[in-house]
Amino acid sequence: MARVTVMIPTQRRPDGLAVAARSVFGQVGVDFAELELVIVDNDQVPSAKPVADALSKGAPCPVIYVNEKRPGVAFARNAGMARASGDFIAFLDDDEEAPSGWLAALLAAQDRYDADVVFGPVKARAPDHIDQHRDYLERFFSRIGPAEAGVIDYHYGCGDSLIRRSALPDPVAPFAVERNFIGGEDDLLFGHMGAAGKRFAWEPAAWVWEDPVPSRLNLGYTIQRAFAYGQGPSAHCAAAVPRDDLGVARWMVIGLGQAAVFGLVAAVKWAVRAKDRAEWLDRAARGLGKTFWWGPFKIQFYGRTA
């Protein structure tokens, strides 16, 4: 087994961090002598240190604590990369829990397909008291991919992924700091890797649970997030070198059409209280995001100070 770093970025979620970390300690089919856990605390005060210290006692692998005081998701990931010693970096979020075969499945897929990045499914579970729009909310926070494992020509986000470090454009600080507060730093990285011909793979067996933060289990959050996700294609074209102005214009036109069509359907669905009305509102918001993607319309999801 190659040297592997499991990285968990966190910000003031001690309970979720503990669950995620302990799920790493429960992995089977891996050599813990070649494994380390890096916890990156993106807080101005070291609020996660007591949890990290408690986790390190009796842990089957080294637990490395990093306090990145500068707020921002890219700062946090890069700080962890700077301390990580692994040839492969596995990312797990602080609201995720990995079944015992998760890491072995990622590593097996990487070896099987000689992949530079392997992605796995995310299965969101809402608390029992969430009733309104429950199906939509669980789908929103889930990652549902192909039923079969294999090489893919697209990418997902960082949570539940395994990256070959030598394939990164910058093995120490690969995440773009301009995405610190809005997210999408992983999409930008993987987009550049895909353009450079790196190989992506999908492994359905490498799935994790996700327990979304309760404050996010509502349409106020998810529709804003859908709008931000919609901004991705246009923003990616704008960030290309050289800038892809034709691509920006194409996505803006597509987004305008989607916002108009899906928005009309959403209005009708909402009027009749259809069960799937939230999903159509989500689609309309993603279309609108493609059209209004630049500075003033960026929404800050990360990097809030204590």
Side-chain angles (χ1 to χ4, degrees):
M1 176 174 152
R3 183 74 177 164
V4 178
T5 299
V6 178
M7 189 182 304
I8 306 177
T10 187
Q11 188 185 57
R12 298 192 293 277
R13 295 181 190 167
D15 294 338
L17 170 61
V19 169
R22 291 193 180 105
S23 75
V24 174
F25 300 157
Q27 294 301 297
V28 298
V30 297
D31 183 0
F32 280 99
E34 296 297 331
L35 184 66
E36 66 180 8
L37 173 63
V38 173
I39 295 172
V40 186
D41 182 6
N42 193 207
D43 200 353
Q44 287 71 45
V45 296
S47 59
K49 192 173 190 306
V51 179
D53 289 344
L55 289 166
S56 67
K57 296 175 182 177
C61 63
V63 176
I64 300 168
Y65 172 80
V66 180
N67 183 208
E68 173 52 77
K69 297 181 184 299
R70 296 172 298 174
V73 63
F75 280 148
R77 294 196 193 280
N78 287 340
M81 294 295 297
R83 290 289 301 275
S85 65
D87 302 306
F88 293 92
I89 313 296
F91 281 95
L92 190 67
D93 290 343
D94 65 358
D95 57 358
E96 293 179 338
E97 181 180 5
S100 60
W102 165 71
L103 187 55
L106 284 175
L107 290 166
Q110 188 284 322
D111 182 65
R112 187 184 318 126
Y113 302 112
D114 190 24
D116 296 302
V117 187
V118 182
F119 302 99
V122 176
K123 302 180 181 182
R125 49 190 180 187
D128 292 340
H129 70 272
I130 299 294
D131 183 49
Q132 191 171 32
H133 309 300
R134 181 185 182 88
D135 290 345
Y136 160 74
L137 291 169
E138 288 191 329
R139 278 193 297 272
F140 182 90
F141 289 101
S142 294
R143 175 194 292 168
I144 303 171
E148 302 294 330
V151 175
I152 55 177
D153 59 1
Y154 48 91
H155 61 267
Y156 295 91
C158 241
D160 189 8
S161 68
L162 178 75
I163 303 174
R164 190 196 331 242
R165 191 167 197 161
S166 61
L168 292 168
D170 182 342
V172 177
F175 296 99
V177 296
E178 60 266 27
R179 297 296 181 93
N180 258 324
F181 306 120
I182 59 175
E185 78 295 337
D186 44 2
D187 287 326
L188 192 61
L189 171 63
F190 294 142
H192 289 324
M193 292 179 71
K198 304 303 180 183
R199 178 175 292 189
F200 301 145
W202 171 260
E203 177 49 79
W207 62 274
V208 299
W209 290 114
E210 178 164 331
D211 297 299
V213 177
S215 62
R216 295 181 175 183
L217 287 167
N218 58 79
L219 295 187
Y221 176 85
T222 61
I223 298 304
Q224 285 190 68
R225 198 67 192 247
F227 177 82
Y229 286 150
Q231 293 174 325
S234 302
H236 182 72
C237 290
V241 180
R243 179 186 167 104
D244 183 4
D245 288 320
L246 185 60
V248 170
R250 181 170 65 89
W251 281 115
M252 289 178 70
V253 171
I254 290 173
L256 195 61
Q258 290 176 337
V261 174
F262 296 150
L264 179 60
V265 174
V268 173
K269 295 273 187 177
W270 218 267
V272 299
R273 307 295 291 175
K275 186 177 180 180
D276 62 346
R277 60 190 184 277
E279 297 180 14
W280 287 94
L281 185 60
D282 179 296
R283 295 177 187 178
R286 291 173 193 252
L288 204 61
K290 294 182 179 70
T291 305
F292 298 95
W293 57 271
W294 62 94
F297 302 103
K298 294 291 187 181
I299 303 173
Q300 179 176 331
F301 292 102
Y302 302 98
R304 294 182 176 88
T305 56

